[in-house]
Amino acid sequence: MRAQATEFLRALRRHRESGASGASGAGAPGGGTGPGTSAPGRAAPPADDVDAVRALRRAARRISGTLHTFQPLLDAGWADEMRPELAWLSGTLALEHAYASRLERLLQALHRLSGSAAFPAPRPVGRAAATVPAGVPAPARPASPDRGSLTVGAAKAGALLDRQLTLARTRAHSTALQALGSSRFHAVADKVALLASEVPLRATGRPDRGPAPATSASGPGTAPVDLRPLAAAAEERLTDAVTALPLVAAGSPYNAQALVHGLSPDPAPHPQDAPWHQVRLLLRLHRYALEALAGADAGDTGDAGGTEAAVDVRLLAAGEALDRHRDASEAAAAAAQAARTPRIAPATAYALGVLHADQRHEVEAARYAFQHSWRKEPIRLP
């Protein structure tokens, strides 16, 4: 936790330095100080700023996950205050990048399905936003003659998605700017700064909700804490959640039965996706717990590379599959939401329907990749 708190503070310092240099380099207020890609007509934020915000979000997420797993060992009042604040921060900072990535994914899928470059080119995301000027068109590709109706509606479908997701991304950008300048964020940063020097552990013999003085996890006189039981509990929760998944149905890369259920007119998120999203979160918590154990072992043995050596290749592959599952699921929901726009042309609705089905196929392919990775024997890096 102290290492992640240090990463948080380092990313915060990089963000402030890149924001200040971006503002002076742009020569105008608001130029290049945002946490993500800039709006058309404005100077793109420096790559260091984008990377700093990503590192800030990553550190906040890891601290929050560690708090969730090892909360029984920590001061209850402090942990209860920190967890929701870190979840708010990481969630707020993730929205802009999520909308930009979703738009890029959907426009690329439209390009692939229709073979047409008549719709808006995907805007660069992350580091590419700092080097690629806005408005650069995608490479042209001749349309296939047998894709008639899809090619006709692809341009309007792409324009509709571009308007909706760009508006959502702009709002998320403003929200992130407000969050990073708020007193709430500064309070979180102050608590993380204290965490970098000492971890508030629960005093022995005190009740769960009783106040406990902050004690350093590595300071003199601190009794060693066994993290293995809580890490094992996190692994057990993950195993139970995976056991409840329909892995038999996910044994095919394209599950027709699941796709039929996925075409429900209900605008709410697909009920089949929720358990997979939950497994993704539990897998992330399990990985963070393993990293905490490896860090503790490395501290005991003096091995600075213990964390990297304990990375499970199987868990990494499964996590990547679940990330693709999340991205495809949210992209399919965005396509379905765009298709519910009133008074759109039938060709546009058709193109969005094909796009939705394509992303649901990607969901099933990601489920297949997960079960294929999960059922392999664990392999650890040497």
Side-chain angles (χ1 to χ4, degrees), residues 182-204:
S182 66
S183 59
R184 183 179 182 182
F185 170 74
H186 289 296
V188 174
D190 291 341
K191 292 181 180 179
V192 173
L194 294 176
L195 178 62
S197 59
E198 56 183 10
V199 179
L201 298 177
R202 175 170 295 162
T204 306

Side-chain angles (χ1 to χ4, degrees), residues 291-340:
E291 291 175 2
L293 289 179
D297 293 340
D300 294 339
T301 61
D303 181 11
T307 302
E308 289 77 3
V311 174
D312 191 331
V313 177
R314 183 187 64 147
L315 294 182
L316 290 178
E320 291 175 357
L322 291 177
D323 287 341
R324 295 197 302 271
H325 177 276
R326 186 271 316 270
D327 294 341
S329 172
E330 293 179 348
Q337 183 64 32
R340 298 185 185 97

Side-chain angles (χ1 to χ4, degrees), residues 199-239:
V199 179
L201 298 177
R202 175 170 295 162
T204 306
R206 290 182 176 267
D208 287 349
R209 295 294 174 178
T215 58
S216 174
S218 58
T222 302
V225 178
D226 189 5
L227 305 179
R228 288 173 295 181
L230 295 176
E235 182 178 8
E236 183 178 357
R237 288 191 294 268
L238 171 63
T239 303

Side-chain angles (χ1 to χ4, degrees), residues 234-250 275-276 278-280 282-283 314 322 370-371 374-375:
E235 182 178 8
E236 183 178 357
R237 288 191 294 268
L238 171 63
T239 303
D240 292 342
V242 172
T243 303
L245 290 177
L247 291 184
V248 175
W276 295 85
Q278 180 65 17
V279 168
R280 175 178 171 272
L282 293 175
L283 178 61
R314 183 187 64 147
L322 291 177
F370 170 78
Q371 67 88 26
W374 184 259
R375 289 178 172 176

Side-chain angles (χ1 to χ4, degrees), residues 333-355:
Q337 183 64 32
R340 298 185 185 97
T341 304
R343 298 184 297 277
I344 60 175
T348 305
Y350 172 76
L352 290 171
V354 173
L355 183 60

Side-chain angles (χ1 to χ4, degrees), residues 95-175:
L95 283 178
E96 181 183 0
H97 183 267
Y99 285 124
S101 299
R102 197 170 306 157
L103 175 60
E104 182 181 26
R105 180 187 184 92
L106 289 171
L107 293 184
Q108 288 179 350
L110 271 177
H111 191 284
R112 170 172 49 83
L113 292 169
S114 67
S116 172
F119 45 85
R123 289 179 171 83
V125 180
R127 183 185 297 273
T131 57
V132 179
V136 175
R141 179 183 297 180
S144 301
D146 56 347
R147 294 182 179 178
S149 299
L150 180 59
T151 303
V152 171
K156 292 185 177 180
L160 177 60
L161 289 169
D162 183 71
R163 287 196 303 271
Q164 292 183 350
L165 293 177
T166 299
L167 176 60
R169 186 186 65 178
T170 302
R171 291 173 175 172
H173 179 81
S174 300
T175 301

Side-chain angles (χ1 to χ4, degrees), residues 240-305:
D240 292 342
V242 172
T243 303
L245 290 177
L247 291 184
V248 175
S252 172
Y254 296 105
N255 181 8
Q257 182 179 4
L259 289 174
V260 170
H261 290 295
L263 299 177
S264 169
D266 186 2
H270 194 279
Q272 284 191 1
D273 294 341
W276 295 85
H277 296 332
Q278 180 65 17
V279 168
R280 175 178 171 272
L281 295 178
L282 293 175
L283 178 61
R284 176 180 292 172
L285 293 177
H286 174 50
R287 285 180 48 217
Y288 294 166
L290 291 180
E291 291 175 2
L293 289 179
D297 293 340
D300 294 339
T301 61
D303 181 11

